[in-house]
Amino acid sequence: MTTRDKAFEKACKDHGLNPAEPLVVGGNYLPLAQDGSTLYLAGQIPKVGDKVIVTGKLGNPVTVPQGQIGARICVLRGLIALHQHLGSLDKVKSVLKLNVYIHCTPDFTLHSEVADGASDLLVSILGPAGAAPRLSVGCAQLPKNAAIELDFIVKTV
């Protein structure tokens, strides 16, 4: 097992996720789509099993550290889909784009700090390949009252 895969499995365990368990999608869509060497991940919410772990609005009642935990769970769910599709995260050449949507109060301004939870974990697991251009934006509502939703695009080898 590679260093990336070990770091991934440890992070999954630390967040209560089982990387061998198939991801259940909540509608008529695919967890990812591939076009050549580019993979597009569907939006992920901070769900462990069948429960959304971080719900509500950032700013009230959800704190930035809670939002960062949610962002990490979202990223791990995306990495689970990638790992199951590719067999190993060593096949990820780079993350091309990360989009982070934050369910927040109108006066909340710490979007980047919440998104750092996702970015930091991607770099921790994938090394420099995990660093990516990023969008972090606030929104009025997300599916299932999730505090965070994110998606990302990767290039494979």
Side-chain angles (χ1 to χ4, degrees):
M1 185 180 301
T2 70
T3 304
R4 279 183 179 181
D5 291 333
K6 285 180 186 174
F8 161 68
E9 288 190 3
K10 181 183 182 323
C12 283
K13 183 179 178 186
D14 290 348
H15 290 83
L17 294 165
N18 179 351
E21 204 171 88
L23 289 178
V24 177
V25 297
N28 189 15
Y29 64 91
L30 299 172
L32 61 81
Q34 185 165 358
D35 182 17
S37 61
T38 304
L39 287 167
Y40 299 86
L41 280 291
Q44 298 295 326
I45 59 175
K47 197 170 168 188
V48 176
D50 62 354
K51 183 174 185 203
V52 180
I53 300 300
V54 185
T55 59
K57 292 185 178 189
L58 268 291
N60 185 21
V62 183
T63 66
V64 169
Q66 290 169 324
Q68 291 171 330
I69 290 168
R72 288 194 293 272
I73 292 169
C74 293
V75 154
L76 287 169
R77 288 178 53 82
L79 290 175
I80 287 170
L82 279 174
H83 190 266
Q84 290 175 356
H85 183 76
L86 297 171
S88 171
L89 295 180
D90 280 346
K91 294 181 180 175
V92 175
K93 182 176 181 180
S94 63
V95 178
L96 298 175
K97 179 74 176 182
L98 172 63
N99 297 307
V100 183
Y101 305 94
I102 300 159
H103 176 204
C104 61
T105 60
D107 61 339
F108 185 78
T109 61
L110 301 175
H111 305 82
S112 291
E113 287 79 354
V114 173
D116 283 344
S119 296
D120 292 348
L121 186 58
L122 280 171
V123 170
S124 171
I125 292 172
L126 300 175
R134 179 179 84 189
L135 165 79
S136 56
V137 64
C139 55
Q141 189 58 269
L142 289 170
K144 314 268 189 269
N145 197 35
I148 311 291
E149 183 172 12
L150 61 75
D151 65 57
F152 53 103
I153 303 167
V154 302
K155 186 81 157 174
T156 60
V157 291

Short mmCIF file of all heavy atoms in Angstrom, two decimals, residues 58 97-105 108-116 134-142 146-151:
data_model
loop_
_atom_site.label_atom_id
_atom_site.label_comp_id
_atom_site.label_asym_id
_atom_site.label_seq_id
_atom_site.Cartn_x
_atom_site.Cartn_y
_atom_site.Cartn_z
N LEU A 58 -22.99 28.13 8.89
CA LEU A 58 -21.74 28.66 9.42
C LEU A 58 -22.02 30.07 9.91
O LEU A 58 -22.71 30.83 9.24
CB LEU A 58 -20.65 28.67 8.35
CG LEU A 58 -19.75 27.44 8.25
CD1 LEU A 58 -18.82 27.29 9.43
CD2 LEU A 58 -20.50 26.19 7.96
N LYS A 97 -9.24 21.59 -9.74
CA LYS A 97 -10.15 22.61 -9.24
C LYS A 97 -10.92 22.06 -8.05
O LYS A 97 -11.34 20.91 -8.06
CB LYS A 97 -11.12 23.03 -10.36
CG LYS A 97 -12.14 24.07 -9.98
CD LYS A 97 -11.55 25.44 -9.88
CE LYS A 97 -12.67 26.42 -9.61
NZ LYS A 97 -12.37 27.74 -9.50
N LEU A 98 -11.08 22.89 -7.03
CA LEU A 98 -11.86 22.55 -5.84
C LEU A 98 -12.89 23.66 -5.65
O LEU A 98 -12.54 24.84 -5.61
CB LEU A 98 -10.96 22.46 -4.62
CG LEU A 98 -11.63 22.32 -3.25
CD1 LEU A 98 -12.41 21.02 -3.15
CD2 LEU A 98 -10.57 22.40 -2.14
N ASN A 99 -14.17 23.27 -5.55
CA ASN A 99 -15.26 24.22 -5.30
C ASN A 99 -15.89 23.88 -3.95
O ASN A 99 -16.30 22.74 -3.74
CB ASN A 99 -16.33 24.10 -6.39
CG ASN A 99 -15.79 24.46 -7.75
OD1 ASN A 99 -15.21 25.51 -7.94
ND2 ASN A 99 -15.98 23.57 -8.71
N VAL A 100 -15.96 24.87 -3.06
CA VAL A 100 -16.51 24.67 -1.73
C VAL A 100 -17.67 25.63 -1.53
O VAL A 100 -17.52 26.84 -1.64
CB VAL A 100 -15.43 24.89 -0.64
CG1 VAL A 100 -16.00 24.60 0.74
CG2 VAL A 100 -14.19 24.04 -0.90
N TYR A 101 -18.84 25.06 -1.24
CA TYR A 101 -20.06 25.83 -1.02
C TYR A 101 -20.40 25.77 0.47
O TYR A 101 -20.44 24.69 1.05
CB TYR A 101 -21.20 25.26 -1.86
CG TYR A 101 -20.82 25.19 -3.32
CD1 TYR A 101 -20.29 24.02 -3.86
CD2 TYR A 101 -20.95 26.30 -4.13
CE1 TYR A 101 -19.91 23.97 -5.19
CE2 TYR A 101 -20.57 26.26 -5.46
CZ TYR A 101 -20.05 25.09 -5.99
OH TYR A 101 -19.67 25.04 -7.30
N ILE A 102 -20.63 26.92 1.06
CA ILE A 102 -20.80 27.03 2.50
C ILE A 102 -22.16 27.63 2.82
O ILE A 102 -22.46 28.76 2.43
CB ILE A 102 -19.65 27.88 3.10
CG1 ILE A 102 -18.32 27.20 2.78
CG2 ILE A 102 -19.85 28.10 4.59
CD1 ILE A 102 -17.13 28.10 2.83
N HIS A 103 -22.97 26.85 3.50
CA HIS A 103 -24.29 27.29 3.97
C HIS A 103 -24.02 28.20 5.17
O HIS A 103 -23.52 27.74 6.20
CB HIS A 103 -25.09 26.04 4.36
CG HIS A 103 -26.42 26.29 4.94
ND1 HIS A 103 -27.03 25.37 5.75
CD2 HIS A 103 -27.28 27.33 4.87
CE1 HIS A 103 -28.20 25.82 6.13
NE2 HIS A 103 -28.37 27.01 5.61
N CYS A 104 -24.31 29.50 5.05
CA CYS A 104 -23.88 30.43 6.09
C CYS A 104 -24.86 31.57 6.30
O CYS A 104 -25.74 31.82 5.49
CB CYS A 104 -22.50 30.98 5.76
SG CYS A 104 -22.41 31.91 4.22
N THR A 105 -24.65 32.25 7.41
CA THR A 105 -25.42 33.44 7.72
C THR A 105 -25.00 34.55 6.76
O THR A 105 -23.89 34.52 6.21
CB THR A 105 -25.19 33.89 9.17
OG1 THR A 105 -23.80 34.18 9.35
CG2 THR A 105 -25.64 32.82 10.17
N PHE A 108 -21.51 36.11 7.46
CA PHE A 108 -20.35 35.23 7.58
C PHE A 108 -19.33 35.56 6.50
O PHE A 108 -19.69 35.70 5.33
CB PHE A 108 -20.77 33.76 7.47
CG PHE A 108 -19.67 32.79 7.70
CD1 PHE A 108 -19.24 32.51 8.99
CD2 PHE A 108 -19.04 32.16 6.65
CE1 PHE A 108 -18.21 31.61 9.22
CE2 PHE A 108 -18.01 31.26 6.85
CZ PHE A 108 -17.60 30.98 8.14
N THR A 109 -18.05 35.70 6.88
CA THR A 109 -17.01 36.06 5.90
C THR A 109 -15.79 35.15 5.93
O THR A 109 -14.80 35.44 5.25
CB THR A 109 -16.54 37.52 6.14
OG1 THR A 109 -15.98 37.61 7.44
CG2 THR A 109 -17.69 38.50 5.97
N LEU A 110 -15.83 34.07 6.67
CA LEU A 110 -14.65 33.21 6.82
C LEU A 110 -14.72 31.97 5.92
O LEU A 110 -14.32 30.88 6.30
CB LEU A 110 -14.48 32.81 8.29
CG LEU A 110 -14.31 33.98 9.25
CD1 LEU A 110 -14.27 33.50 10.70
CD2 LEU A 110 -13.06 34.79 8.90
N HIS A 111 -15.21 32.17 4.72
CA HIS A 111 -15.35 31.07 3.76
C HIS A 111 -14.03 30.36 3.49
O HIS A 111 -13.96 29.13 3.47
CB HIS A 111 -15.92 31.60 2.44
CG HIS A 111 -17.21 32.32 2.59
ND1 HIS A 111 -17.25 33.64 2.98
CD2 HIS A 111 -18.49 31.93 2.43
CE1 HIS A 111 -18.52 34.03 3.05
NE2 HIS A 111 -19.29 33.01 2.72
N SER A 112 -12.97 31.14 3.27
CA SER A 112 -11.67 30.55 2.96
C SER A 112 -11.14 29.69 4.10
O SER A 112 -10.54 28.64 3.88
CB SER A 112 -10.64 31.64 2.63
OG SER A 112 -10.97 32.24 1.42
N GLU A 113 -11.38 30.14 5.33
CA GLU A 113 -10.91 29.38 6.49
C GLU A 113 -11.63 28.03 6.57
O GLU A 113 -11.02 27.02 6.93
CB GLU A 113 -11.11 30.18 7.77
CG GLU A 113 -10.15 31.34 7.94
CD GLU A 113 -10.51 32.60 7.13
OE1 GLU A 113 -11.47 32.58 6.32
OE2 GLU A 113 -9.82 33.62 7.31
N VAL A 114 -12.90 28.00 6.26
CA VAL A 114 -13.64 26.73 6.25
C VAL A 114 -13.10 25.84 5.13
O VAL A 114 -12.82 24.66 5.34
CB VAL A 114 -15.16 26.97 6.07
CG1 VAL A 114 -15.90 25.65 5.88
CG2 VAL A 114 -15.72 27.73 7.27
N ALA A 115 -12.92 26.40 3.95
CA ALA A 115 -12.41 25.64 2.81
C ALA A 115 -11.01 25.11 3.04
O ALA A 115 -10.62 24.09 2.46
CB ALA A 115 -12.46 26.50 1.55
N ASP A 116 -10.23 25.77 3.91
CA ASP A 116 -8.89 25.28 4.24
C ASP A 116 -8.94 23.86 4.81
O ASP A 116 -7.99 23.09 4.63
CB ASP A 116 -8.19 26.20 5.25
CG ASP A 116 -7.67 27.48 4.62
OD1 ASP A 116 -7.55 27.54 3.38
OD2 ASP A 116 -7.39 28.43 5.39
N ARG A 134 -9.07 27.20 -6.15
CA ARG A 134 -10.22 26.92 -5.31
C ARG A 134 -11.23 28.06 -5.35
O ARG A 134 -10.86 29.23 -5.46
CB ARG A 134 -9.72 26.72 -3.88
CG ARG A 134 -10.81 26.44 -2.87
CD ARG A 134 -10.24 26.24 -1.51
NE ARG A 134 -10.02 27.51 -0.83
CZ ARG A 134 -9.37 27.65 0.31
NH1 ARG A 134 -8.83 26.61 0.90
NH2 ARG A 134 -9.24 28.83 0.86
N LEU A 135 -12.49 27.68 -5.25
CA LEU A 135 -13.59 28.62 -5.07
C LEU A 135 -14.20 28.31 -3.71
O LEU A 135 -14.43 27.15 -3.39
CB LEU A 135 -14.65 28.41 -6.16
CG LEU A 135 -16.01 29.06 -5.92
CD1 LEU A 135 -15.94 30.54 -6.25
CD2 LEU A 135 -17.08 28.37 -6.72
N SER A 136 -14.44 29.32 -2.91
CA SER A 136 -15.22 29.14 -1.67
C SER A 136 -16.26 30.24 -1.64
O SER A 136 -15.93 31.42 -1.74
CB SER A 136 -14.32 29.16 -0.43
OG SER A 136 -13.57 30.34 -0.35
N VAL A 137 -17.52 29.82 -1.54
CA VAL A 137 -18.61 30.78 -1.65
C VAL A 137 -19.71 30.42 -0.67
O VAL A 137 -19.95 29.25 -0.38
CB VAL A 137 -19.13 30.82 -3.11
CG1 VAL A 137 -19.73 29.49 -3.52
CG2 VAL A 137 -20.10 31.94 -3.33
N GLY A 138 -20.38 31.45 -0.15
CA GLY A 138 -21.51 31.23 0.74
C GLY A 138 -22.80 31.08 -0.03
O GLY A 138 -22.94 31.60 -1.14
N CYS A 139 -23.73 30.34 0.55
CA CYS A 139 -25.03 30.15 -0.08
C CYS A 139 -26.13 30.06 0.98
O CYS A 139 -25.86 29.83 2.15
CB CYS A 139 -25.03 28.93 -0.99
SG CYS A 139 -24.54 27.42 -0.21
N ALA A 140 -27.35 30.25 0.53
CA ALA A 140 -28.50 30.31 1.44
C ALA A 140 -28.92 28.95 1.96
O ALA A 140 -29.45 28.85 3.06
CB ALA A 140 -29.68 30.98 0.74
N GLN A 141 -28.69 27.87 1.21
CA GLN A 141 -29.13 26.54 1.62
C GLN A 141 -28.39 25.49 0.82
O GLN A 141 -27.97 25.75 -0.31
CB GLN A 141 -30.65 26.39 1.41
CG GLN A 141 -31.25 25.14 2.00
CD GLN A 141 -31.04 25.00 3.48
OE1 GLN A 141 -30.05 24.41 3.92
NE2 GLN A 141 -31.95 25.53 4.29
N LEU A 142 -28.21 24.32 1.42
CA LEU A 142 -27.61 23.17 0.75
C LEU A 142 -28.47 21.93 0.99
O LEU A 142 -29.29 21.93 1.92
CB LEU A 142 -26.18 22.93 1.26
CG LEU A 142 -25.14 23.96 0.84
CD1 LEU A 142 -23.83 23.77 1.58
CD2 LEU A 142 -24.91 23.91 -0.67
N ALA A 146 -27.08 20.51 4.95
CA ALA A 146 -25.64 20.36 5.14
C ALA A 146 -25.00 21.74 5.26
O ALA A 146 -25.42 22.70 4.61
CB ALA A 146 -25.01 19.61 3.97
N ALA A 147 -23.97 21.83 6.10
CA ALA A 147 -23.24 23.08 6.27
C ALA A 147 -22.26 23.32 5.12
O ALA A 147 -21.91 24.47 4.82
CB ALA A 147 -22.50 23.08 7.61
N ILE A 148 -21.82 22.24 4.48
CA ILE A 148 -20.79 22.32 3.43
C ILE A 148 -21.18 21.37 2.30
O ILE A 148 -21.70 20.28 2.55
CB ILE A 148 -19.41 21.83 3.94
CG1 ILE A 148 -19.03 22.46 5.26
CG2 ILE A 148 -18.33 22.00 2.89
CD1 ILE A 148 -18.71 23.90 5.19
N GLU A 149 -20.87 21.75 1.09
CA GLU A 149 -20.88 20.84 -0.05
C GLU A 149 -19.68 21.21 -0.90
O GLU A 149 -19.35 22.40 -1.02
CB GLU A 149 -22.16 20.94 -0.87
CG GLU A 149 -22.19 19.93 -2.01
CD GLU A 149 -23.52 19.85 -2.74
OE1 GLU A 149 -24.37 20.73 -2.53
OE2 GLU A 149 -23.69 18.91 -3.54
N LEU A 150 -19.03 20.22 -1.45
CA LEU A 150 -17.91 20.54 -2.33
C LEU A 150 -17.83 19.53 -3.46
O LEU A 150 -18.39 18.44 -3.40
CB LEU A 150 -16.59 20.62 -1.57
CG LEU A 150 -16.03 19.41 -0.84
CD1 LEU A 150 -15.44 18.37 -1.77
CD2 LEU A 150 -14.97 19.85 0.14
N ASP A 151 -17.15 19.94 -4.51
CA ASP A 151 -16.83 19.05 -5.61
C ASP A 151 -15.43 19.39 -6.08
O ASP A 151 -14.90 20.45 -5.76
CB ASP A 151 -17.86 19.14 -6.74
CG ASP A 151 -17.89 20.49 -7.43
OD1 ASP A 151 -16.84 20.95 -7.94
OD2 ASP A 151 -18.96 21.11 -7.47
#
